[in-house]
Structures are given as structure tokens and as C-alpha cells.
Amino acid sequence: MALAEAARKVANEFEYTSEDVNAAVKEFLREMDEGLEKDGTSLSQIPTYVTAVPNGTEKGLYMAVDLGGTNFRVCSIQLHGNTTFSLTQSKVKIPAEIMTAKTAEELFAFLAKQIELFLKEHHTEHYEGHIQRIATGTTDKEYREQEIFNLGFTFSFPVQQIGINRGLLMRWTKGFDIQDAVGKDVCALLQKEIDKLHLPVRVAALVNDTVGTLMARSYTSPGKTSTLLGAIFGTGTNGAYVERLGRVKKLAGGKENAGAYDASTGEMIVNTEWGSFDNALRVLPNTPYDAALDRDSVNPGIQMFEKRVSGMFLGEILRRAVVAVLQDLSVPLFKDEDSSVNELHSTTQISKDSSLFRTWGLDTSFLSIAHGDSSPGLRITRQALDRDLGINAASVEDAEAVKIMAAAVGRRAARLSAVAIGAILIQSGRLETVTGNEELDVVDIGVDGSLVEFYPGFEDYVREALREIPQIGEKGEKRIRIGIAKDGSGVGAALIALVAGKVPNPADAAGE
Ligand code: ADP
Ligand code: MG
């Protein structure tokens, strides 16, 4: 078979039609509703207890900390109230012995110590004034009411959130292993160590990174329109959106949460955990490459949406497709023209230990390179094939074939992303109201992650698919504004701390 024809055949397998998009939107809406009603569903729809989004006029000085996999970041954020902010930060690598400490206290004491060091260095007067007041007998409690730093705690491990600043650690991931902490409230653990050091800091909010993205975008977006959705397309994919409180039915029964949030806005941000949309594969596409990737993954059968959309997986999908074409001996991919077509290894330009033959051997950034390549003779793609995969002397036809397949994988990911975005747009009802005022009619979406930031035309593909959804159409699509949320984890956490600071904290009231 001719090479271009073989590549187009593979590309066709990644076709995701208008009908497919619309069927998936319908299923997404169904799973959203199901998730709002009960626990243990495909879309988790986790209530975040965050009930207000900023509009850019918020002011004040806040703190944020971020415990990710490798580093602990401490920052303070000055919100200027005009959609801009200044950020001061420090970053420290978590020592290996702390990641596997015997007690939770060891980890959280380490974190509190970093906060103390940060305050001493960057907020010296505030810190020293505080220490002096303690020395002169002003009680901690009195001080806390006045000049306390409200802190947002971004904690990227699975937690069962039970209040805006309360969440129980479900399990550790990413190399952490401190059994003592499992099942405990991570905010309380941090606050306890902060209090031991008499720091003027209150852990005001527990933050998920998608919610941070939504808040950060809502603050920085132009105009006073509040943002509807924060979405991440990076290593993984997930989204958090503003839901009407009355629809979060599973909240109603949780008596222990009464008073843990401010119901006056009538809204609450919900973390969809959409990476696990349609794990049952009712509507998601499933090429042989998707199926094989899932089979060989550490978590077969789960995160099925994420496995077709996010940066961790797209390179691997393409790798599998390319290998399939390569193994078809009748197709001249990476094969010398004049050699026998029957002996693969003697005829290819690839060494056997090319990372093309290794699971996870192709990074998703390669898709961006190939898809965006308009250099003469696809020189850039051929260079990348050489550099990343050790394929030297790839022909222009080889590069063109790979480009066709890469584009198909990327386009499908963007159209699937449009399913999630489109369903949330429809659910929000925001397109149903038209004021005629262009600024007020904007529906704003904040995004973050290397895929959406660097894959050429990702947003255009998303928009194309959104227009194919009848409830949105060309008119609705025009009203959508999509913007990158920079520094989401720091600014977002600060903004959540701000919102949380306005809510009476039941933990404080109970004297805990
Ligand atoms: P994180 O998810 O850890 O916050 P990123 O948003 O940077 O980090 O996403 C990292 C993911 O994006 C990785 O899976 C990587 O393969 C992918 N990626 C990195 N650069 C690009 C690029 N230029 N185009 C597409 N994907 C990319
Ligand atoms: Mg990120």
C-alpha cells in the first residue's frame, strides 16, 4: 500500500464525527447529573465548598502553599484589585526522608518551617511585629482576628473534601508514604504545626488545581464577567465549573457540613474529575491503539477520557499507530526504497533500540512539532524523528505520513475536549440568556497546561466541534472566550483563601 494512503487510513480511525461529539455530550450531561446526586459515580462531581468566583476587584495580601510531587512552594500574593497581582515565591525540594517519614508531624513540621522561613525573609516586619506582640502578652487569638494571613493550601493528592478547609487524605501517591497521615485532615495537620511556631497564618482553604485555574482566570480575565470553567490539559485533564447550589443534591444530606460554606451566592464550584468520564466506553472512541495503551497502563479501565485527551497519553497513542504502520511490511514507512520488503530490520532506517519501540517512548510535544511543521521538506519533523527517535534519513514522505497521523490524534483529543467543555456550557444555561451587551454576554473559560498552550490550533479544533453542537452553534461559540490562566496554583489558592476568609469557619467557632 502507498505510504500516504496507509497514513490516511490510520488517520480515519481517529475520526470523531459530529454525531460522535453530540452523543458524547448527551452522555456527559447525564453523568454530570448522576454525579451531583450521589457518590461513587463515573464523574465524581466533587463539591469544593467554594461558593464565589472573583471578578478582578479583589484586594489584599494572601499566602499560598503548594505540595506537589517533588517541590513545596510557598508564596504570597498581593492582589491589586485591578485584575493584576504581584507574586513572591520560594521553592524547596522535599527531602526523601520526609516523603516517607514515620509520622505526619515530621512532614507538616517541615512544611510549617518553610512558611516561617518565607515570612522571615519576605515579610520581615509583619513577622517581627507579630513575635513582639506575643512577647508583650497579646494573645494569639486576638492577633489572629486582625493581621492574619489567610493561606490557600494546594494539595495534589487524593482527598475527601468535607469543608472549604477540611479534607481527609485518602491515600498517598507520587512516592509519598506516611501511613500515619492517611485518614486525617491535612489542613488541621498543617495548622497544628503552624501554631506551634506561633505564625500569623490561618489555613483558610484546601485547593484543587482546577479550581485554582478557574479562580485565577476569573480574577485576571478582562471585564467584570466571572469565569464559568477552569480546565487543565497538561499531563492529565480535568475541569471545575460554577454550578447552581440547588443542583448539588448530594450536599443536602451532609449535616456535618452545615455552615461550612456560604450559601448566599447560590453557587458552588464543582470539581468534575472528568478524566474518568465514560469509563464504561459507551461513547468514547476505542481504536486498537487506545485499547492496547489501556491494557498496558497501570490502571486499566479507569481515566478512560484522560487516556484519549491528555499529554501523558497522546504521544503513546501516536507511537502505537506509527509502529502498526511500520510493521505492515507492504507499507514503505522508514524503509529504504531499493531493499527487500520482507525483512523488516534489514530494511528500516531505525535501530532496534529506538525509543519508538518502547512504551511511553514518544513525548506528546512531538505531536505539536509535527502538526505545526510548515518548513520546506518537513525538515523540522525529520530532525525531530532523528533526535527523539533515532530515525535518521527519514524521507519527506515518511515525515508527511507521521504528520498526518499526529494531526489526527491531536484533533481527536481537541474534539473530545470540546465534549466536556460543551456539556458544561449547556449545563450552565449561560448561553440561554442574551443581554445584547457584548461584554456581559461573554462566557469566559480559563485553561492551563502544555497541551492547550502549545499544540498548534488546539483551541480552533475545540471551537470547530463546539459549533457542531446544536445547543451552542455558531452564535454560542462566538460568545465563548478562552484564556490561559497563568500562575493558577498560586493566585488561585490565594483567591480561594480570600473567599474562604469571608466565611465563618466552623472549626474556629468550635474552638478547635
Ligand atoms: P503539569 O501537568 O505537570 O502541570 P504541563 O501542563 O506542562 O505540566 O503538562 C505536561 C504534559 O504536556 C506532558 O505530558 C508533556 O508530554 C506534554 N507537553 C509538553 N510540551 C508539550 C508541547 N509542546 N505540546 C504538547 N504537549 C506537550
Ligand atoms: Mg499544571
Side-chain angles (χ1 to χ4, degrees):
M1 198 191 302
L3 180 50
E5 189 191 336
R8 272 195 295 272
K9 200 167 148 235
V10 170
N12 279 338
E13 295 182 72
F14 289 99
E15 219 15 69
Y16 199 62
T17 67
S18 290
E19 291 73 46
D20 295 334
V21 167
N22 281 290
V25 165
K26 199 171 160 211
E27 172 65 11
F28 202 101
L29 284 163
R30 190 193 69 74
E31 290 191 18
M32 281 179 85
D33 273 342
E34 185 185 61
L36 290 171
E37 264 168 46
K38 50 180 193 261
D39 288 328
T41 54
S42 190
L43 282 187
S44 300
Q45 297 280 69
I46 301 168
T48 63
Y49 302 90
V50 179
T51 56
V53 289
N55 60 21
T57 62
E58 293 74 11
K59 281 187 184 166
L61 183 59
Y62 294 88
M63 284 193 76
V65 294
D66 182 348
L67 182 65
T70 329
N71 296 306
F72 182 60
R73 286 208 310 158
V74 183
C75 50
S76 61
I77 298 99
Q78 180 77 53
L79 302 168
H80 301 307
N82 59 356
T83 80
T84 69
F85 60 86
S86 355
L87 186 141
T88 310
Q89 72 162 317
S90 72
K91 197 166 90 173
V92 54
K93 196 168 151 38
I94 322 255
E97 65 273 16
I98 294 283
M99 291 167 72
T100 54
K102 285 249 152 32
T103 63
E105 185 184 341
E106 285 171 70
L107 168 66
F108 288 93
F110 172 81
L111 304 185
K113 189 75 198 162
Q114 305 312 310
I115 297 172
E116 181 180 51
L117 291 172
F118 178 87
L119 287 175
K120 274 186 185 167
E121 182 176 347
H122 298 289
H123 297 275
T124 318
E125 273 178 36
H126 194 120
Y127 175 79
E128 282 172 359
H130 172 69
I131 294 298
Q132 240 163 39
R133 251 164 291 203
I134 291 177
T136 57
T138 315
T139 66
D140 239 18
K141 196 78 192 169
E142 278 168 56
Y143 185 80
R144 287 181 59 168
E145 307 309 326
Q146 304 159 22
E147 270 182 61
I148 197 103
F149 275 114
N150 277 315
L151 175 145
F153 183 14
T154 303
F155 185 77
S156 317
F157 299 90
V159 286
Q160 187 200 347
Q161 196 155 357
I162 53 171
I164 193 153
N165 65 347
R166 316 186 99 191
L168 311 179
L169 175 65
M170 292 158 73
R171 61 181 180 278
W172 288 108
T173 57
K174 299 183 274 195
F176 279 70
D177 183 21
I178 308 167
Q179 282 315 304
D180 178 42
V182 175
K184 292 186 179 153
D185 175 3
V186 294
C187 291
L189 288 172
L190 181 58
Q191 187 70 63
K192 193 170 157 199
E193 300 307 318
I194 286 171
D195 290 348
K196 279 188 197 163
L197 299 176
H198 305 286
L199 305 179
V201 175
R202 170 174 170 258
V203 182
L206 185 61
V207 181
N208 173 279
D209 60 351
T210 53
V211 186
T213 299
L214 170 53
M215 299 295 273
R217 171 65 191 175
S218 199
Y219 177 79
T220 55
S221 70
K224 287 197 176 173
T225 343
S226 67
T227 300
L228 168 67
L229 165 67
I232 291 186
F233 301 98
T235 308
T237 182
N238 187 19
Y241 73 104
V242 181
E243 181 57 281
R244 279 162 275 188
L245 199 49
R247 286 197 177 177
V248 194
K249 299 209 181 77
K250 63 186 176 188
L251 259 186
K255 276 212 190 70
E256 75 271 25
N257 298 326
Y261 58 90
D262 167 18
S264 67
T265 60
E267 294 178 336
M268 182 176 285
I269 297 177
V270 170
N271 167 14
T272 64
E273 291 294 336
W274 74 34
S276 66
F277 167 60
D278 192 29
N279 281 344
L281 297 186
R282 290 190 183 95
V283 294
L284 286 177
N286 198 29
T287 66
Y289 324 109
D290 296 304
L293 178 154
D294 182 52
R295 213 164 37 236
D296 293 345
S297 71
V298 293
N299 52 358
I302 57 177
Q303 296 296 97
M304 296 305 248
F305 183 72
E306 185 164 84
K307 283 175 181 157
R308 285 150 180 78
V309 169
S310 77
M312 181 163 175
F313 303 100
L314 298 187
E316 176 62 10
I317 297 174
L318 176 64
R319 188 193 68 80
R320 286 171 186 266
V322 171
V323 168
V325 173
L326 186 72
Q327 283 172 343
D328 182 342
L329 298 185
S330 74
V331 180
L333 178 64
F334 306 137
K335 298 179 183 79
D336 295 327
E337 286 161 41
D338 55 351
S339 54
S340 151
V341 291
N342 294 319
E343 288 169 65
L344 182 64
H345 289 300
S346 67
T347 62
T348 61
Q349 306 148 353
I350 313 178
S351 75
K352 264 180 260 180
D353 45 43
S354 163
S355 65
L356 185 63
F357 300 117
R358 266 207 324 268
T359 309
W360 312 116
L362 184 58
D363 192 88
T364 297
S365 54
F366 179 84
L367 273 73
S368 293
I369 292 172
H371 180 53
D373 188 2
S374 54
S375 62
L378 297 183
R379 180 180 45 83
I380 293 169
T381 303
R382 283 151 63 212
Q383 275 170 357
L385 284 168
D386 191 2
R387 186 190 58 228
D388 299 348
L389 299 173
I391 301 172
N392 48 55
S395 66
V396 178
E397 290 74 25
D398 289 333
E400 265 163 7
V402 171
K403 181 178 173 173
I404 289 170
M405 291 187 271
V409 173
R411 183 164 185 266
R412 189 188 70 168
R415 290 175 68 79
L416 285 166
S417 306
V419 167
I421 294 170
I424 286 169
L425 272 166
I426 295 168
Q427 168 92 357
S428 76
R430 288 203 191 181
L431 290 175
E432 288 157 28
T433 42
V434 192
T435 66
N437 175 327
E438 211 172 295
E439 191 191 318
L440 293 177
D441 285 347
V442 162
V443 182
D444 194 74
I445 295 174
V447 293
D448 188 20
S450 286
L451 185 63
V452 60
E453 203 169 342
F454 301 123
Y455 188 86
F458 194 87
E459 181 179 334
D460 296 333
Y461 288 133
V462 168
R463 288 184 175 278
E464 184 182 66
L466 289 174
R467 286 194 293 271
E468 295 166 20
I469 302 169
Q471 298 97 312
I472 298 170
E474 276 193 32
K475 255 204 192 131
E477 183 269 315
K478 277 206 185 72
R479 290 176 52 187
I480 299 162
R481 186 173 62 198
I482 300 177
I484 302 268
K486 278 273 170 226
D487 285 319
S489 89
V491 183
L495 286 157
I496 297 169
L498 180 154
V499 175
K502 291 180 180 161
V503 185
N505 184 359
D508 287 350
E512 279 172 38

